[in-house]
Amino acid sequence: MPVARSALTDAYARLSEVLPGLGVTESAPSERAPHGGGWVTADALAAGGAELAAFLAWDEAQVLRDYGQRARPDVIASFGLHRYAWPACLLITVPWFLHGRVPRLPAARVAYDRTAAGLPLGRMALRPAGFACLPGDPAAALPGARVVAGEEELRAEVRASVAEHLEPVLAGFGPRMRRRGRALWGMATDEIVEGLWYVAHLLGEQERARRELELLLPGATRPYVGDAAFRELKGPDGQPLHTRDRASCCMFYTLRPEDTCATCPRTCDADRVNKLLATAG
């Protein structure tokens, strides 16, 4: 059962409103994580055993169904990690972006079901271990609140919370991906930036998201790799087109070399412009 309203409820409600393909449910601290059916906890994925193998079997079947070919095991693992980490990062970045509240979500406190009917992005259940906020926030008086001095300290809380959650998950997926250390954290950097940037577009706040993400990830913020990496291109009529340079590769080129995304390191600027114009149209 969902808990009564919390410091995070409004943020998750707004996320579900603009991104209805993702379900988010808060649970009481005393409740156990959902289990059975398609549910898997993040710490089970981090363990790297049978539950991770079953999780990745879904990606393997999806690739075969949608593209009529099998993908390499490391590509399947990369797809699976992306499909988990993208929404998992939103559980932290969206409350921060909307309300200046940063939940702590150790891996044992998040469960994911990617098989839920009518939810193409799946559903996530979480039991936050408290949250950080600023001194003037009315939520500062709530149980579990940890007040930090200012905006930069709050950004540090975002980076720490994502790292706390993803570090064991990256360790579980890593041996299956032929990637280690820097490459995995480059992927984490991309999930933070591209997930919030996408949701901010749905909220009509993409410009503010760019500014906030540049402050969140200015570079040299280990373990993350690089900065937010936004830049501006010009369309044929001089119109500004915003893009970014990914720190990692999603490996989709192994299935469709001609169909890379607009932020792919393999996509030249001329092709980026064409892709961005096609998307805008």
Side-chain angles (χ1 to χ4, degrees):
M1 293 289 293
V3 298
R5 296 182 63 81
S6 78
L8 307 170
T9 301
D10 288 344
Y12 295 139
R14 186 71 174 121
L15 175 60
S16 295
E17 181 182 329
V18 299
L19 193 65
L22 175 66
V24 179
T25 302
E26 291 176 77
S27 300
S30 59
E31 289 186 280
R32 64 178 296 189
H35 61 286
W39 287 105
V40 61
T41 58
D43 59 344
L45 296 177
E51 289 183 88
L52 176 57
F55 182 85
L56 294 176
W58 190 97
D59 292 282
E60 188 171 20
Q62 178 265 324
V63 166
L64 186 59
R65 180 181 68 248
D66 290 356
Y67 302 107
Q69 66 185 92
R70 293 190 179 278
R72 299 189 324 239
D74 62 304
V75 173
I76 293 295
S78 182
F79 288 178
L81 177 56
H82 162 67
R83 287 164 177 159
Y84 174 78
W86 193 90
C89 287
L90 292 176
L91 299 180
I92 297 166
T93 59
V94 168
W96 164 67
F97 183 69
L98 291 180
H99 301 297
R101 298 168 188 170
V102 181
R104 296 304 289 257
L105 294 173
R109 289 176 172 263
V110 177
Y112 181 47
D113 175 14
R114 67 192 316 182
T115 67
L119 293 171
L121 296 175
R123 55 181 175 165
M124 306 199 85
L126 63 148
R127 296 177 297 127
F131 65 97
C133 64
L134 295 172
D137 189 332
L142 295 176
R146 187 175 67 262
V147 179
V148 299
E151 296 286 355
E152 180 50 42
E153 289 79 4
L154 198 63
R155 286 188 282 268
E157 291 287 335
V158 176
R159 294 189 291 265
S161 183
V162 174
E164 177 186 33
H165 183 81
L166 283 187
E167 185 171 20
V169 177
L170 297 179
F173 276 83
R176 298 171 182 263
M177 295 175 60
R178 303 181 187 173
R179 296 181 181 183
R180 295 294 187 274
R182 183 177 175 84
L184 289 172
W185 284 106
M187 190 171 182
T189 304
D190 289 330
E191 304 300 357
I192 292 170
V193 176
E194 296 197 351
L196 184 59
W197 194 29
Y198 179 79
V199 170
H201 173 74
L202 301 177
L203 292 164
E205 294 196 67
Q206 203 167 24
E207 181 58 40
R208 182 168 80 87
R210 280 196 297 272
R211 294 195 303 269
E212 294 290 350
L213 286 164
E214 286 171 341
L215 292 170
L216 179 68
L217 295 167
T221 48
R222 297 182 65 183
Y224 304 102
V225 174
D227 57 20
F230 290 112
R231 58 191 180 94
E232 186 178 287
L233 302 175
K234 296 292 185 183
D237 298 323
Q239 67 270 46
L241 298 170
H242 295 284
T243 187
R244 68 176 298 266
D245 295 315
R246 287 178 57 90
S248 68
C249 180
C250 71
M251 310 297 285
F252 185 68
Y253 79 94
T254 62
L255 296 176
R256 293 291 186 272
E258 72 288 351
D259 194 22
T260 56
C261 68
T263 58
C264 179
R266 296 171 175 267
T267 304
C268 69
D269 282 358
D271 287 342
R272 287 188 188 216
V273 168
N274 291 334
K275 289 175 183 290
L276 290 167
L277 289 173
T279 302

